[in-house]
């Protein structure tokens, strides 16, 4: 376990957990925390065995958003400092959005502003049913910025994104699933177990296959069908090269021997030994 000032990082084999740890301020992101997140991501990047990164918060908040005092109010009269604090925030968001490992947001409570964005850039979001999501920016006279509008536009429909950005109305974790902001909502008492089960399933998969699946998804949403087919074939050949054709040599061989059913479970390299 590595403890940064307001962020804790634990790496356990294939799984890294980044915990925002400033519960007395609802895990609002002050400049030190933005730097802490960068430092945690750097440490995770150096560990090539990590397949999954879980992001969560301590206490009753996932993340209350940008620290409104430390990031906006206090540095406002110094444009350089104001911009530096914003750049620090958006630069870790860019890194996390493009992160090679699978990212899972475990939303345990309040989820506003930059916290809303943090959940929105993760690949998978598991939330407690009674967590509270919101783009509250309109309530202090601005709009969701720094990537938050992008997240709303890419996860929610136009009608829903605009409704919640324009009204600043919050919604529950249960509603977040219907709105496209979360993958699954569970009772708060079951949140840890639900995330652990999904993480265990992911950790059991081939690391190159996980990474390539993310890359192919990101490219596919920007390409037309014909170009996506070309890209997907090229990526299949690249993945086959990286894994020395493991899917043919091991997985499909095991399927032939009826050792597993790929529609229902993963193959096991152990089964060959
Ligand atoms: N920035 C700075 N401080 C924040 C914060 C933020 N985004 N969110 C919460 N805090 C601080 C509060 O000021 C308070 O500090 P204090 O104890 O020193 O007075 C502490 O966290 C606890 O918050 P409090 O408001 O007392 O808790 P609550 O349970 O009544 O309400 C929220 C929780 C999340 C609804 C409320 O704090 C809130 O609206 N926060 C702002 C959320 C937001 O709009 N974020 C968008 C930022 S871009």
């Amino acid at each position: 376990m590595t403890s940064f000032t307001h962020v804790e990082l634990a790496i356990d084999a294939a799984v890294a957990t980044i915990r925002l740890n400033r519960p007395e301020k609802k895990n609002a992101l002050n400049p030190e925390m933005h730097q802490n997140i960068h430092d945690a991501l750097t440490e995770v990047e150096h560990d090539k065995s990590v397949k999954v990164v879980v992001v969560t918060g301590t206490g009753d908040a996932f993340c209350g958003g940008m620290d409104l005092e430390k990031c906006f109010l206090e540095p406002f009269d110094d444009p350089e400092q104001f911009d530096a604090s914003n750049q620090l925030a958006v630069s870790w968001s860019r890194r996390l959005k493009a992160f090679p490992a699978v990212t899972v947001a475990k939303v345990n409570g309040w989820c506003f502003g930059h916290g809303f964005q943090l959940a929105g850039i993760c690949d998978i979001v598991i939330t407690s049913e009674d967590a509270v999501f919101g783009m509250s920016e309109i309530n202090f006279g601005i709009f969701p910025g720094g990537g938050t509008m992008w997240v709303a536009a890419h996860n929610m429909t136009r009608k829903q994104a605009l409704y919640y950005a324009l009204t600043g109305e919050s919604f529950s974790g249960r509603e977040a699933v219907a709105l496209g902001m979360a993958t699954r909502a569970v009772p708060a008492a079951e949140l840890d177990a639900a995330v652990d089960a999904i993480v265990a399933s992911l950790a059991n998969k081939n690391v190159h296959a996980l990474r390539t699946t993310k890359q192919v998804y990101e490219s596919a949403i920007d390409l037309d069908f014909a170009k996506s087919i070309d890209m997907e074939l090229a990526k299949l050949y690249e993945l086959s090269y990286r894994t020395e054709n493991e899917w043919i040599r091991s997985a499909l061989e095991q399927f032939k021997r009826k050792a597993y059913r790929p529609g229902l479970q993963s193959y096991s390299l152990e089964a060959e030994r």
Side-chain angles (χ1 to χ4, degrees), residues 24-26 28 64-68 110 112-114 136-137 140:
E24 70 284 2
K25 292 286 183 183
K26 307 296 175 192
M66 294 283 268
D67 186 315
L68 296 167
W110 303 113
F112 284 101
H114 214 80
S136 54
E137 287 84 345
F140 43 97

Side-chain angles (χ1 to χ4, degrees), residues 26 60-65 107-120 125 127 131-136 170-171 181:
K26 307 296 175 192
D60 66 354
F62 173 68
C63 175
V107 179
N108 52 302
W110 303 113
C111 180
F112 284 101
H114 214 80
F116 187 96
Q117 191 212 114
L118 170 56
V125 176
T127 177
V132 180
F133 289 69
M135 290 178 280
S136 54
S170 61
F171 53 86
M181 276 300 295

